[in-house]
Amino acid sequence: EIVMTQSPATLSVSPGERATLSCRASQRVGSNLAWYQQKPGQAPRLLIYGASTRATGIPARFSGSGSGTEFTLTISSLQSEDFAVYYCQQYNNWWTFGQGTKVEIK
Amino acid sequence: EVQVVESGGGLIQPGGSLRLSCAASGFTVSTNHMSWVRQAPGKGLEWVSVIYSAGSTFYADSVKGRFTISRDNSKNTLYLQMNSLRAEDTAVYFCARGGESHSFDYWGQGTLVTVSS
């Protein structure tokens, strides 16, 4: 099983600031990496797939990068609606998720 | 508009059985790969099972031999039959559509399964 490790567990950021979230895979997954946003009581929402392609309707302030084992999600200027938990997911070998990074208001 | 709606969750005793349903609209279940993903209370996401468009099915080791994924093409609905339920199966179960990239592009709102005596 490919283990996905996200850091940090919690990120405290002020509105308008940049947020950088990291995800590491225990094996190479190429670009088969997605990012999801989840708010309390809601389903996850696909943000990024293919490591760097924004899903339909996702604002340009969300960007993804990386390949192989190291990946990054960047939110360029945090809006109030962006405070949530973010998960990375590999789909190179079945599907496994990271444990999540909670982005909270500083 | 693409939509998936889960139902069938509830409180069940250990060892019991439950069948979850996922009704889809705006797309055809049988031409997409469809997965179940679960989330234990306060925890992260765990992939449970997939059914591919060709009909092949696969399961996470944690549920293999106990859960069965299926679909009814005439009803455009996905199912998850859960047998021999354990306390550790307690979770919100989400139905998700596999996108072209094999990430999950549409999710339902989830249905809560609680296994407890």
Side-chain angles (χ1 to χ4, degrees):
Chain A
E1 175 182 317
I2 298 176
V3 177
M4 307 301 291
T5 303
Q6 292 184 241
S7 62
T10 303
L11 188 60
S12 298
V13 185
S14 298
E17 289 188 341
R18 173 187 294 258
T20 303
L21 290 66
S22 296
C23 175
R24 173 177 293 177
S26 62
Q27 304 173 33
R28 296 182 65 85
V29 298
S31 295
N32 296 315
L33 190 285
W35 290 94
Y36 299 85
Q37 176 194 69
Q38 188 179 34
K39 297 179 181 179
Q42 296 186 16
R45 173 193 182 197
L46 178 65
L47 300 175
I48 301 284
Y49 63 92
S52 61
T53 302
R54 278 190 301 277
T56 303
I58 301 304
R61 64 180 181 272
F62 291 92
S63 63
S65 63
S67 66
T69 61
E70 301 283 343
F71 301 89
T72 300
L73 174 70
T74 301
I75 311 171
S76 60
S77 176
L78 271 160
Q79 306 298 301
S80 57
E81 61 266 30
D82 299 336
F83 293 96
V85 178
Y86 292 83
Y87 293 95
C88 63
Q89 175 208 44
Q90 69 80 22
Y91 49 91
N92 190 63
N93 184 358
W94 304 112
W95 296 270
T96 51
F97 296 86
Q99 80 281 15
T101 290
K102 181 180 181 180
V103 177
E104 64 177 22
I105 300 175
K106 186 175 182 180
Chain B
E1 179 190 5
V2 171
Q3 195 171 13
V4 290
V5 179
E6 302 94 335
S7 60
L11 175 63
I12 188 77
Q13 291 190 340
S17 297
L18 208 57
R19 189 179 81 157
L20 307 182
S21 300
C22 168
S25 57
F27 72 100
T28 302
V29 164
S30 63
T31 61
N32 289 268
H33 74 81
M34 299 292 297
S35 279
W36 289 96
V37 177
R38 67 184 181 183
Q39 186 170 37
K43 302 298 184 182
L45 300 163
E46 178 190 18
W47 171 75
V48 172
S49 181
V50 64
I51 183 166
Y52 286 104
S53 56
S56 53
T57 60
F58 299 91
Y59 302 90
D61 287 344
S62 57
V63 306
K64 199 172 294 182
R66 300 187 299 123
F67 290 10
T68 302
I69 190 171
S70 64
R71 68 191 181 205
D72 184 330
N73 296 343
S74 67
K75 295 182 178 179
N76 208 34
T77 298
L78 179 73
Y79 300 101
L80 186 67
Q81 176 68 42
M82 304 186 296
N83 299 331
S84 303
L85 283 161
R86 307 166 179 167
E88 55 265 36
D89 296 319
T90 294
V92 174
Y93 285 74
F94 296 100
C95 160
R97 187 182 84 165
E100 290 184 3
S101 70
H102 291 259
S103 58
F104 299 146
D105 59 359
Y106 287 94
W107 298 63
Q109 83 290 349
T111 187
L112 176 62
V113 173
T114 303
V115 184
S116 175
S117 56

